[in-house]
């Protein structure tokens, strides 16, 4: 049995019961599309069976390479963007002590590159790495994505200068397509150890492949526990036919019911800053999968109680189009009690002796009730604690829910055609071969906008 639970007491009265009933039925039909591989985008369903299908030899290879990286490097530069980066960062940051500089002893600190094109960041990174021992994991399924490809160019030349061409294969590890793409070509040319991204697994569903597993393992996190959590959830989802009991089907049904009731924005809420990048991963998963054909819930995220002091006003009192999905970690650290303060200058002695995690739990309950009464429904996702296994459960739970939810919405959850538009304009403006005609059009459009 997985350890995650869903609670819905802060949803009462936001929609009629029969509307949820009808969506629960629809979730079964959507599930059937996933399982029979007969829905839109069915050529990208390799992730459905991933937890159970990862081979022992693949895990061994990841462990062996991460051992090599640990023994040679103070830093591991992970180059990738979107689905080729967010999953690893989500799991790493959720498992690492924030005050050990996001680093586990005996493991390199993970640094990210190629997840944007900011020149300050990348120049500072290159200067920083000059006198450090580092390895590189360059991750790109297509091998042609501009942001990581640009970062890789400059970091490759630094590695070559620092360690010599003959040592490239000791320092650079590629995760890419098995046969095609620029990165595959480079990996072959330099004899790099490479990991394969399967054809039928899209970027945002790839954290349980070497895309996520190598950086996570190099960061010192137990990937076998992470995978076993995902397997646990896969087994549960597969064997639970009742959609109300099936966590992913239930969540997909709830969020679609809320969407149909006018709640167009979903906020993923955490009360633990380590989950900030998990939220980023979740935003991509749902945003890129569902935001199509002028429909889809807009996925956003907030970190509480921090953001209660910035976004709290809007959530409580602004446009009533929001619902929240709250990840509650049930057993946070119990070892920090509030001290008695002589004279009680800040008025907090009434909670002296109480544990900080108890106080956080009261902040959660108070917020849930306030938002509920203010017209914001809340779905609660309870997880007993934050560790690789529970995160594995959470990852598969959300992935499966996303597939089901996208089919319930009637879109293809596994493509991302809209991402090409900015790329094409950028290629045209940069003068890429084949975009000559488009360059004139794009420049003319920009100029005409500039005049008005
Ligand atoms: O989920 C996706 O498909 C995207 O976010 C891609 O992962 C992202 O664009 C990076 O692509 P690639 O791995 O080809 O560099």
């Amino acid at each position: 049995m997985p350890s995650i639970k869903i609670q819905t007491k802060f949803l009462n009265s936001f929609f009629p019961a029969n509307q949820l009933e009808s969506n629960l039925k629809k979730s079964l039909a959507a599930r059937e599309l996933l399982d029979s591989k007969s829905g839109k985008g069915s050529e990208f369903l390799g992730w459905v069976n991933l937890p159970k299908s990862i081979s022992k030899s693949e895990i061994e290879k990841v462990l062996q390479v991460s051992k090599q990286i640990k023994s040679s490097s103070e830093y591991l530069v992970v180059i990738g963007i979107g689905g080729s980066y967010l999953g690893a960062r989500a799991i790493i940051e959720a498992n690492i002590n924030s005050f050990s500089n996001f680093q586990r002893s005996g493991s390199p600190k993970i640094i990210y590159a190629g997840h944007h094109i900011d020149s300050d960041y990348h120049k500072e990174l290159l200067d920083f790495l000059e006198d450090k021992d580092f390895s590189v994991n360059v991750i790109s399924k297509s091998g042609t994505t501009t942001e990581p490809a640009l970062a890789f160019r400059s970091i490759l030349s630094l590695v070559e200068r620092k360690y010599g061409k003959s040592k490239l294969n000791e320092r650079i590890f590629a995760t890419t397509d098995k046969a095609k793409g620029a990165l595959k070509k480079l990996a072959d040319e330099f004899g790099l150890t490479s990991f394969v991204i399967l054809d039928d697994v899209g970027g945002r569903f790839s954290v349980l492949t070497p895309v996520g597993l190598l950086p996570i393992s190099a960061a010192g996190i137990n990937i076998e526990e992470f995978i076993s959590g995902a397997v646990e959830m896969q087994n549960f989802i597969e064997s639970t036919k009742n959609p109300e009991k099936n966590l992913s089907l239930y969540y997909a049904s709830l969020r679609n019911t809320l969407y149909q009731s006018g709640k167009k924005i979903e906020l993923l809420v955490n009360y633990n800053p380590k989950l900030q990048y998990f939220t980023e991963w979740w935003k991509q998963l749902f945003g890129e999968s569902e935001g199509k054909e002028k429909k889809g819930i807009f996925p956003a995220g907030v970190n509480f109680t921090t953001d209660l002091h910035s976004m709290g006003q809007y959530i409580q009192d602004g446009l009533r189009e929001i619902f929240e999905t709250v990840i509650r970690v049930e057993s946070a650290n119990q070892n920090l009690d509030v001290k008695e303060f002589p004279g009680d200058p800040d008025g907090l002695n009434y909670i002296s002796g109480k544990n900080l995690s108890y106080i956080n739990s009261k902040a959660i309950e108070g917020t849930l009730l306030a938002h509920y009464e203010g017209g914001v429904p809340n779905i609660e996702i309870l997880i007993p604690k934050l560790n690789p296994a529970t995160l594995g459960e959470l990852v598969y739970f959300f992935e499966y829910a996303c597939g089901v939810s996208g089919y319930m919405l009637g879109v293809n959850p596994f493509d991302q055609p809209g991402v090409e538009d900015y790329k094409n304009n950028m290629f045209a403006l940069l003068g890429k071969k084949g975009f000559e005609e488009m360059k004139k059009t794009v420049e003319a459009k920009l100029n005409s906008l500039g005049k008005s």
Side-chain angles (χ1 to χ4, degrees):
M1 274 293 276
S3 58
I4 294 174
K5 293 188 178 56
I6 295 182
Q7 256 179 209
T8 57
K9 64 179 168 195
F10 296 102
L11 285 180
N12 291 340
S13 80
F14 278 99
F15 47 75
N18 62 359
Q19 200 181 342
L20 178 60
E21 287 298 314
S22 132
N23 279 316
L24 286 165
K25 279 193 195 119
K26 280 192 196 148
S27 77
L28 286 172
R31 171 196 198 146
E32 178 53 27
L33 290 178
L34 271 185
D35 292 351
S36 62
K37 298 196 180 213
S38 54
K40 294 179 192 167
S42 60
E43 65 278 28
F44 291 109
L45 291 179
W47 59 271
V48 174
N49 199 34
L50 249 188
K52 291 207 257 186
S53 67
I54 308 168
S55 70
K56 271 216 163 80
S57 60
E58 184 87 309
I59 296 173
E60 276 310 313
K61 185 173 163 190
V62 167
L63 292 173
Q64 185 248 316
V65 170
S66 70
K67 198 166 156 199
Q68 185 181 337
I69 294 171
K70 284 179 196 175
S71 68
S72 67
S73 309
E74 291 168 79
Y75 295 89
L76 172 66
V77 185
V78 173
I79 302 178
I81 195 166
S84 287
Y85 135 84
L86 278 168
R89 189 163 190 176
I91 304 306
I92 291 168
E93 300 209 355
N95 280 288
I96 299 275
N97 180 323
S98 324
F99 295 95
S100 59
N101 200 13
F102 286 108
Q103 184 167 14
R104 287 211 165 168
S105 86
S107 298
K109 178 170 165 56
I110 311 297
I111 296 182
Y112 302 91
H115 51 310
H116 52 71
I117 324 179
D118 180 52
S119 56
D120 284 347
Y121 180 95
H122 286 95
K123 179 68 176 81
E124 283 166 18
L125 174 60
L126 288 168
D127 293 346
F128 175 80
L129 290 172
E130 227 14 272
D131 60 352
K132 309 289 186 305
D133 260 329
F134 66 94
S135 293
V136 178
N137 181 200
V138 52
I139 309 168
S140 178
K141 186 172 180 180
S142 60
T144 55
T145 307
T146 309
E147 291 89 337
L150 285 171
F152 184 53
R153 273 193 180 212
S154 46
I155 290 172
L156 174 65
S157 87
L158 175 61
V159 177
E160 211 170 327
R161 185 159 51 75
K162 240 177 105 92
Y163 298 104
K165 206 167 183 153
S166 64
K167 299 264 192 263
L168 287 182
N169 61 356
E170 290 174 23
R171 293 281 162 180
I172 302 178
F173 305 91
T175 308
T176 190
D177 187 86
K178 67 175 181 310
K180 54 182 195 298
L183 187 54
K184 173 66 186 155
K185 247 199 215 151
L186 277 173
D188 289 346
E189 190 185 323
F190 297 128
L192 308 180
T193 301
S194 9
F195 292 87
V196 170
I197 310 180
L198 302 168
D199 287 342
D200 58 357
V201 179
R204 57 191 176 275
F205 290 86
S206 68
V207 61
L208 286 152
T209 73
V211 170
L213 296 177
L214 181 59
I216 293 170
S217 176
I221 295 156
N222 189 323
I223 55 167
E224 280 146 316
E225 284 178 19
F226 176 54
I227 295 166
S228 75
V231 168
E232 188 70 41
M233 185 56 80
Q234 186 188 346
N235 283 333
F236 175 78
I237 304 272
E238 270 174 11
S239 60
T240 308
K241 305 295 172 212
N242 178 347
E244 222 168 339
K245 299 257 170 348
N246 184 309
L247 294 168
S248 294
L249 268 53
Y250 191 41
Y251 172 58
S253 303
L254 289 171
R255 61 197 296 285
N256 274 283
T257 308
L258 288 164
Y259 178 62
Q260 292 151 11
S261 319
K263 305 295 183 190
K264 310 286 186 204
I265 299 163
E266 179 175 11
L267 295 180
L268 191 72
V269 176
N270 70 69
Y271 283 80
N272 185 328
K274 287 184 184 181
L275 285 172
Q276 190 169 347
Y277 268 88
F278 191 86
T279 300
E280 294 304 316
W281 170 83
W282 173 92
K283 276 161 60 181
Q284 187 203 355
L285 181 68
F286 281 91
E288 216 167 67
S289 301
E290 291 192 318
K292 285 160 202 172
E293 302 171 27
K294 308 288 173 276
K295 52 189 179 180
I297 296 169
F298 182 80
V302 280
N303 309 301
F304 286 171
T305 58
T306 311
D307 291 338
L308 285 171
H309 297 260
S310 56
M311 297 295 289
Q313 171 61 37
Y314 191 101
I315 299 166
Q316 188 66 47
D317 218 13
L319 265 183
R320 302 295 71 192
E321 292 185 354
I322 301 170
F323 71 96
E324 291 171 298
T325 295
V326 182
I327 300 184
R328 283 186 74 164
V329 183
E330 292 182 289
S331 72
N333 195 312
Q334 306 285 327
N335 296 320
L336 187 57
D337 289 348
V338 177
K339 303 267 175 276
E340 182 83 15
F341 204 149
D344 198 16
D346 55 8
L348 288 176
N349 276 354
Y350 78 102
I351 42 174
S352 67
K354 294 269 191 293
N355 191 271
L356 207 57
S357 79
Y358 165 82
I359 296 169
N360 206 20
S361 74
K362 295 298 148 195
I364 298 174
E365 286 170 23
T367 309
L368 283 164
L369 182 62
H371 289 182
Y372 170 71
E373 291 186 334
V376 178
N378 274 266
I379 301 170
E380 289 177 89
I381 296 179
L382 311 181
I383 67 171
K385 51 182 159 223
L386 224 43
N387 62 32
T390 55
L391 286 155
E393 286 186 25
L394 214 49
V395 158
Y396 192 80
F397 156 72
F398 277 127
E399 285 183 351
Y400 201 89
C402 181
V404 168
S405 186
Y407 280 154
M408 290 174 75
L409 192 67
V411 299
N412 175 354
F414 308 113
D415 66 0
Q416 52 284 327
V419 182
E420 297 313 309
D421 292 1
Y422 98 89
K423 290 185 189 169
N424 291 336
N425 285 345
M426 177 178 75
F427 293 151
L429 290 168
L430 288 169
K432 187 174 177 174
K433 205 166 166 228
F435 287 78
E436 295 80 1
E437 273 312 302
M438 192 173 164
K439 184 174 174 36
K440 288 181 213 145
T441 321
V442 174
E443 283 178 343
K445 280 185 189 168
L446 286 172
N447 283 337
S448 73
L449 287 170
K451 277 186 211 125
S452 56

